[in-house]
C-alpha cells in the first residue's frame, strides 16, 4: 500500500534527494507467538477485534524514537488534521505514525505509547493507512526543497488562510470562453488585486468561517464589506431587504462565526 504512493512523483523525488526519509514497518513482524497474532477479541465481549499492545510497543521501540518524537495514532477519534497540524509536524525531525486497524487499539497503547491522535476527517476508513499517507504527503511538501521552489507552499490555500481563486492557462479563448482581460493586461498591480479579490470572494462564498482567522488588509475588509452587501454567502444564505437590515445581519453573522 505505502510503496506505491511513496514510490511516485514528489515523494519519490524528495526521498531520492535525501530531503525525506520514509520507512514502513509491519507490526506482524513484531508479534512473538507462532501465529504472529496482532489482534484479539475484546474484553467484556462484543464484536470485532482489537490490536494487541505487545507488537505495537515492540515495533515502535525498534525505531528508537527520541523522547520528543511524536508517536501518532491515526484514528477517527483523533484531533482533526489541518494545515496548522502539518506545520507543527514538519517542525519535528521525525515522527512515527501508527495505523489503527480493525475495530480498535488496546487502550494501553493510547495511554502509554501514543503521544497524539490524528483524524483526517469525519468519516470512517477501514484502516489508518490512507490517513498516514495523507499526513506524510501534507507534511513532506512543507519541507524546504520538496516542492522545488523554496516558497511554493507559502501561497497555498490555508497557508494564506484563504481559498485559492480562479486560474487560467492557454488557450486565450476556449470554446468561446475567454480568459479574463485583466490577466492578459500585463498590469502587475491590477492582476495582484484581482487575484486577491477572487480568493476573498471564493472564501466568502464557500468557507466564510476561514475569514475569521485569515490575515486581512483594510482593502480586503472593504472588499468583503461589498461582498457582504451583495448578500449572504452560499453556505449560509441570508435574504434581506434594505441596506441597514443587511448590515445588521452581516454583523450578526460575523458575531455568530466568532462565537462558533
Ligand atoms: Cl486517521 N483512520 C480511520 N480508520 N478512519 C478515519 C481516519 C483515520 N480519519 C478519518 N477517518
Amino acid at each position: 500500500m505505502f510503496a506505491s504512493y511513496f514510490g511516485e512523483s514528489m515523494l519519490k523525488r524528495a526521498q531520492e534527494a535525501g530531503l525525506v526519509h520514509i520507512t514502513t514497518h509491519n507490526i506482524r513482524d513484531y508479534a512473538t507467538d507462532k501465529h504472529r497474532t496482532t489482534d484479539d477479541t475484546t474484553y467484556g465481549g462484543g464484536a470485532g477485534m482489537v490490536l494487541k499492545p505487545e507488537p505495537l510497543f515492540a515495533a515502535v521501540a525498534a525505531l528508537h524514537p527520541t523522547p520528543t518524537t511524536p508517536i501518532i495514532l491515526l484514528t477517527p477519534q483523533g484531533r482533526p488534521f489541518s494545515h496548522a497540524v502539518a506545520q507543527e509536524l514538519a517542525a519535528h525531525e521525525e515522527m512515527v505514525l501508527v495505523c489503527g486497524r480493525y475495530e480498535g487499539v488496546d487502550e494501553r497503547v493510547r495511554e502509554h505509547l501514543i503521544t497524539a491522535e490524528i483524524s483526517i476527517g469525519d468519516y470512517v476508513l477501514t484502516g489508518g493507512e490512507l490517513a498516514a499517507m495523507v499526513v506524510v504527503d501534507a507534511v513532506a511538501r512543507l519541507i524546504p526543497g520538496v516542492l522545488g521552489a523554496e516558497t511554493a507552499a507559502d501561497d497555498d490555500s490555508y497557508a494564506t488562510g484563504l481559498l485559492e481563486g480562479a486560474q487560467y492557462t492557454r488557450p486565450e479563448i476556449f470554446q468561446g470562453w475567454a480568459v479574463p482581460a485583466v490577466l492578459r493586461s500585463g498590469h502587475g498591480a491590477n492582476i495582484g488585486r484581482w487575484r486577491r479579490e477572487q480568493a476573498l470572494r471564493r472564501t466568502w462564498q464557500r468557507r466564510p468561517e476561514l475569514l475569521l482567522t485569515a490575515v486581512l488588509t483594510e482593502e480586503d475588509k472593504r472588499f468583503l464589506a461589498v461582498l457582504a452587501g451583495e448578500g449572504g454567502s452560499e453556505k449560509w444564505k441570508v435574504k434581506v431587504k434594505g441596506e441597514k437590515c443587511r448590515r445588521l445581519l452581516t454583523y450578526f453573522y460575523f458575531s455568530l462565526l466568532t462565537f462558533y
Side-chain angles (χ1 to χ4, degrees), residues 41-175:
T41 53
T42 180
Y43 265 107
M49 303 291 273
V50 175
L51 282 181
K52 292 165 64 61
E54 307 95 312
L56 283 172
F57 272 82
V60 172
L63 301 174
H64 303 293
T66 74
T68 57
T69 302
I71 316 285
I72 300 161
L73 178 69
L74 284 314
T75 163
Q77 292 116 46
R79 174 185 179 197
F81 191 56
S82 66
H83 185 76
V85 177
Q87 281 175 318
E88 277 176 35
L89 294 175
H92 283 273
E93 272 301 305
E94 60 175 17
M95 60 180 176
V96 176
L97 300 177
V98 178
C99 301
R101 269 256 133 184
Y102 309 110
E103 270 66 34
V105 176
D106 187 282
E107 192 64 17
R108 289 163 293 189
V109 171
R110 288 197 148 99
E111 285 175 350
H112 305 293
L113 180 66
I114 295 301
T115 62
E117 299 183 25
I118 288 177
S119 162
I120 62 160
D122 293 340
Y123 41 80
V124 181
L125 303 169
T126 55
E129 288 83 358
L130 275 174
M133 287 187 256
V134 166
V135 171
V136 168
D137 190 286
V139 171
R141 64 189 290 293
L142 298 179
I143 292 165
V146 169
L147 290 186
E150 293 268 325
T151 55
D154 294 349
D155 317 318
D156 286 349
S157 298
Y158 298 107
T160 62
L162 297 177
L163 301 183
E164 250 171 74
Q167 304 214 64
Y168 296 88
T169 185
R170 273 174 282 277
E172 196 172 310
I173 298 176
F174 171 68
Q175 296 189 5

Side-chain angles (χ1 to χ4, degrees), residues 176-225:
W177 302 306
V179 173
V182 60
L183 295 179
R184 294 177 282 120
S185 68
H187 192 299
N190 285 353
I191 292 171
R193 194 63 224 156
W194 185 87
R195 287 203 169 129
R196 183 76 182 170
E197 289 180 359
Q198 288 288 309
L200 289 165
R201 184 183 294 275
R202 190 160 282 184
T203 309
W204 165 249
Q205 286 173 340
R206 300 183 183 185
R207 299 290 307 279
E209 73 278 14
L210 295 178
L211 294 170
L212 292 168
T213 44
V215 180
L216 302 171
T217 65
E218 287 308 311
E219 203 178 1
D220 292 338
K221 288 178 195 166
R222 277 195 296 277
F223 181 72
L224 285 169

Side-chain angles (χ1 to χ4, degrees), residues 225-238:
V226 173
L227 286 186
E230 285 173 8
S233 81
E234 276 171 26
K235 198 168 172 190
W236 289 293
K237 204 147 205 154
V238 213

